[in-house]
Amino acid sequence: MLFGQVYTFGVEGALGRAVDDKAECMTPGKVDLPAKVVSVSAGVSHTAALAHDGRVFLWGTFRVS
């Protein structure tokens, strides 16, 4: 396990990282963040990451259910 890092998969546009095709969305990939992460909260189309220094990083996309 890699502590302090975030890996995402799922909905294209809400991963926090670039993907080349939709199939790549279902493969976990690392989100490049400028600090170690200590906590993550994720929903169907968003993610929030709390860094060790108190910064919060957010990414995602609007999605109608």
Side-chain angles (χ1 to χ4, degrees), residues 5-61:
Q5 298 179 11
V6 176
Y7 285 75
T8 60
F9 64 94
V11 179
E12 184 177 12
L15 299 175
R17 59 187 174 86
V19 292
D20 292 326
D21 58 47
K22 288 192 179 215
E24 191 178 347
C25 292
M26 293 302 149
T27 302
K30 184 180 176 187
V31 179
D32 289 323
L33 296 171
K36 283 190 173 185
V37 172
V38 295
S39 185
V40 174
S41 175
V44 69
S45 60
H46 75 281
T47 303
L50 174 64
H52 70 94
D53 60 7
R55 289 184 287 173
V56 175
F57 300 93
L58 305 165
W59 59 90
T61 185

